[in-house]
Amino acid sequence: MSTSEALEVQAGSAGFKRLLDDRWSCRAYQPGQVPDDVIAEMLRIAQRTASWCNTQPWQVYLTKGEATGRFARSLTEHAKTHEQVSDLDMPAGYHGVYKDRRRGAGYALYASLGITREDWDAREAQRLRNFRFFGAPHVAVITTDRDQGVYGAVDCGGYVANFINAATSLGVATIPQAAIAMHADHVREFFEIPEDRLIVCAVSFGYADTEHPVNQFRTSRAEVEDAVVVVDH
């Protein structure tokens, strides 16, 4: 590898690291729509996601304009009065370090909004904001092929990661949301999604309201050593 090629590789690596460092989950948005050409580029980049046997099992239902508002109103009303129905198994529980990380993120979120542990009305209002996509002008519902099971869902996870990183590279804020998939029955009815698709999650996106206090906090990441076991003998 030549010196110039090595420098290009280093610059690309630094740019990718900066992209991941800069990405965060946005929970307050400006009302303006993301231009169609920007959305098209996000989708084009994400479509390059690797998948098992190149099946590319994801199918995306993406809203813009009034459709986002209709979906938000419909889903919020449903979530107020209905139990959760998910196509995929929800976590059986959070224990040990996973419980600590989850609680830490939750505490930081509520602290940024000044919501106390005892203020159940405010906590419920914040929960319902999930179903209004935190005011985002767009939401992308990601589905997978039912017959591909867990590995189709894994491939869709790769698609989601690339979608949100592509958005970040284009100045668009995002938040992946499992909450929307917890009312899969209503989502399926709204979009007329066929039964051979499983609803994995959604990604709400738009331009961030950077002045809103909820967008001031950031979650932490574990050290690499806490997540990786190296076997060398």
Side-chain angles (χ1 to χ4, degrees):
M1 181 182 294
S2 68
T3 301
S4 61
E5 288 174 332
L7 290 173
E8 287 182 8
V9 169
Q10 291 175 5
S13 175
F16 185 62
K17 178 182 181 301
R18 185 165 58 251
L19 179 68
L20 295 184
D21 286 343
D22 289 348
R23 199 214 68 81
W24 49 281
S25 291
C26 179
R27 291 179 174 83
Y29 292 84
Q30 300 176 35
Q33 300 279 299
V34 176
D36 288 348
D37 61 333
V38 175
I39 295 176
E41 182 67 358
M42 289 163 52
L43 294 169
R44 187 195 67 77
I45 295 171
Q47 194 63 30
R48 298 300 304 170
T49 299
S51 60
W52 191 328
C53 299
N54 196 36
T55 59
Q56 304 169 58
W58 48 83
Q59 186 76 40
V60 180
Y61 295 78
L62 190 148
T63 69
K64 61 180 183 178
E66 176 54 27
T68 306
R70 285 196 302 108
F71 184 34
R73 291 188 294 272
S74 175
L75 184 58
T76 300
E77 289 306 311
H78 180 87
K80 287 179 180 178
T81 57
H82 290 76
E83 295 295 322
Q84 295 180 357
V85 175
S86 175
D87 285 345
L88 302 177
D89 291 339
M90 290 293 103
Y94 297 90
H95 307 286
V97 67
Y98 309 117
K99 181 178 180 180
D100 293 340
R101 293 170 186 166
R102 183 171 184 261
R103 291 178 69 182
Y107 288 154
L109 167 62
Y110 289 128
S112 72
L113 293 167
I115 298 175
T116 64
R117 193 171 183 176
E118 298 78 21
D119 192 344
W120 291 105
D121 289 342
R123 290 165 74 92
E124 174 64 5
Q126 183 61 27
R127 182 187 76 86
L128 290 175
R129 282 185 56 77
N130 278 282
F131 308 111
R132 292 192 288 273
F133 323 128
F134 302 106
H138 306 279
V139 62
V141 174
I142 290 84
T143 73
T144 186
D145 172 38
R146 182 181 293 272
D147 288 344
Q148 293 187 48
V150 66
Y151 289 102
V154 168
D155 286 341
C156 287
Y159 180 90
V160 169
N162 286 333
F163 183 89
I164 63 179
N165 288 326
T168 302
S169 75
L170 296 165
V172 177
T174 62
I175 181 168
Q177 293 186 259
I180 294 168
M182 293 179 186
H183 291 281
D185 53 345
H186 188 75
V187 176
R188 173 170 284 105
E189 179 181 2
F190 185 90
F191 290 105
E192 299 182 354
I193 298 172
E195 289 296 328
D196 63 355
R197 309 297 305 172
L198 299 177
I199 296 161
V200 177
C201 68
V203 179
S204 298
F205 66 95
Y207 293 113
D209 177 358
T210 56
E211 300 301 316
H212 197 290
V214 78
N215 284 335
Q216 306 310 309
F217 86 96
R218 299 289 184 269
T219 55
S220 61
R221 291 294 181 273
E223 297 297 327
V224 171
E225 293 77 11
D226 295 331
V228 178
V229 176
V230 177
V231 181
D232 61 0
H233 62 276

